[in-house]
Amino acid sequence: MHIIITDAWLARSQAVHLNGAKLLGAAALASVMTMFGAVALYHWVFLEGVRQGWPGFVPVAKLVTQGEVDSKELYMRENLDAMARKLGEMQARMMQIDSLGERVSGLAGLKPEEFKAEPVGSGGILVGGHPITVEELQAAMGELDQRSASRVDWLTAVESRLFDQKMQRSLIPTQEPVLGARVGSPFGYRIDPITGNTALHTGLDFPADTGTPIYAAAGGVVIVQELHHAYGNMVEVDHGNNLITRYAHASKVFVKKGDIVKRGQKIAEVGSTGRSTGPHLHFEVWVAGVVQDPRPFLNAGESLAATELAKTR
């Protein structure tokens, strides 16, 4: 195909030769330009009509976007339902924590009502006759957050009380200083085995072979470690609260003044040093500078051990 273009003003002509390929390309280009132009015009007119509220445009816009809106609502509904189910599981676990906290607080000597300002378990919104809304979900999560915070404070107080009780028990001389040994001479007045006169025996004697381990009856700090003319190789441990234990007649001592010892730690070995007629441990308990019968302390330890053993069965 030949096309002749004539310019009257310039008084000249120009011939353009178009073959089949060029014609096809030109037609395709014109179609694409027309299509893009139509789309651009449609969107401009459509959007302008919706913004300006032209008659008929708003209903059409609703029809066009309805499918997209429905998809978003379905997606949100599925996510809200999943979050609501998860919230229900969290509330059920919170009820289990409440039940556990009540039992533990009894062991700590605390009253649950001191820490619980609201009744155990809520979440009734999940049982309603309509799907949960965003506002209801937010309210339930806020309530759960408050309950969890109060439970953290509650269990922290219980933990602190139990820790204090454990520390108090560890500082009271309830551990047998010589395991499995019978008591020879009890606390109280007796006939002194050396002088034959009546005298106060200020502790408990535990007869045992030389070298038998001697254990700290409670945790504390060694305040005396010396060779005494009457007590022989002697160790004193300060447990705080004006409470001191004394271990006498040892053959060997494994601690020195200033050492920190733990409950049940080996601190010496049985011997017969000092004023003694044979190998044994002389064990004393002093409270506020007054000597006490060690038997009630050791009996308390036996009762506590029996109680803890019964709880594990």
Side-chain angles (χ1 to χ4, degrees):
M1 176 182 291
H2 291 274
I3 299 176
I4 298 175
I5 302 174
T6 302
D7 190 339
W9 186 66
L10 295 176
R12 65 177 182 179
S13 300
Q14 184 176 358
V16 179
H17 176 72
L18 297 176
N19 56 20
K22 291 182 178 180
L23 286 173
L24 184 61
L29 179 60
S31 298
V32 171
M33 294 297 293
T34 303
M35 181 180 64
F36 276 107
V39 170
L41 181 62
Y42 166 78
H43 276 280
W44 180 84
V45 173
F46 183 79
L47 294 176
E48 188 67 21
V50 172
R51 283 196 295 265
Q52 299 295 333
W54 294 345
F57 278 84
V58 175
V60 173
K62 290 183 178 179
L63 291 175
V64 172
T65 58
Q66 186 62 43
E68 183 180 356
V69 172
D70 291 342
S71 298
K72 290 183 177 179
E73 288 184 352
L74 178 61
Y75 177 78
M76 291 182 62
R77 171 52 49 198
E78 291 177 348
N79 279 273
L80 281 176
D81 291 343
M83 293 176 66
R85 288 192 295 269
K86 191 66 177 179
L87 179 61
E89 295 176 2
M90 294 172 64
Q91 289 174 329
R93 291 186 179 180
M94 185 62 67
M95 293 177 65
Q96 293 177 347
I97 292 176
D98 289 341
S99 179
L100 175 62
E102 289 179 358
R103 296 194 298 270
V104 174
S105 63
L107 297 177
L110 299 174
K111 296 180 180 180
E113 52 269 22
E114 294 178 359
F115 301 92
K116 296 172 63 178
E118 69 278 348
V120 176
S122 59
I125 61 170
L126 300 181
V127 195
H130 64 279
I132 188 171
T133 64
V134 175
E135 292 75 14
E136 290 174 328
L137 183 61
Q138 290 176 340
M141 293 182 67
E143 178 186 357
L144 184 62
D145 181 63
Q146 292 179 355
R147 290 181 59 196
S148 62
S150 66
R151 295 311 180 274
V152 169
D153 294 339
W154 178 16
L155 294 177
T156 300
V158 172
E159 179 189 29
S160 177
R161 179 63 64 86
L162 290 175
F163 179 76
D164 289 343
Q165 292 178 356
K166 181 179 179 181
M167 289 299 297
Q168 290 295 330
R169 288 197 299 267
S170 68
L171 298 177
I172 296 176
T174 55
Q175 167 74 47
E176 289 187 1
V178 180
L179 299 181
R182 63 179 179 83
V183 176
S185 296
F187 177 89
Y189 283 92
R190 66 170 185 176
I191 297 177
D192 187 88
I194 296 178
T195 65
N197 298 324
T198 300
L200 175 65
H201 187 231
T202 55
L204 297 178
D205 286 344
F206 293 91
D209 294 334
T210 300
T212 301
I214 298 173
Y215 301 101
V221 179
V222 177
I223 57 173
V224 175
Q225 191 279 300
E226 64 182 12
L227 180 61
H228 191 273
H229 71 278
Y231 289 106
N233 284 326
M234 178 184 70
V235 174
E236 285 187 3
V237 179
D238 187 347
H239 308 287
N241 296 321
N242 292 320
L243 185 60
I244 294 174
T245 53
R246 179 178 293 169
Y247 311 79
H249 307 308
S251 59
K252 293 182 180 179
V253 177
F254 302 103
V255 293
K256 63 183 182 301
K257 183 178 180 179
D259 285 352
I260 298 175
V261 298
K262 298 180 180 179
R263 172 188 172 88
Q265 177 180 334
K266 181 179 177 181
I267 58 175
E269 290 181 353
V270 171
S272 185
T273 57
R275 191 172 183 272
S276 171
T277 60
H280 70 286
L281 167 67
H282 176 80
F283 176 65
E284 295 181 358
V285 175
W286 292 76
V287 178
V290 179
V291 66
Q292 305 288 327
D293 185 356
R295 189 74 269 175
F297 293 91
L298 300 181
N299 288 341
E302 294 174 358
S303 300
L304 181 60
T307 301
E308 293 179 350
L309 180 61
K311 290 179 180 179
T312 60
R313 293 179 177 176

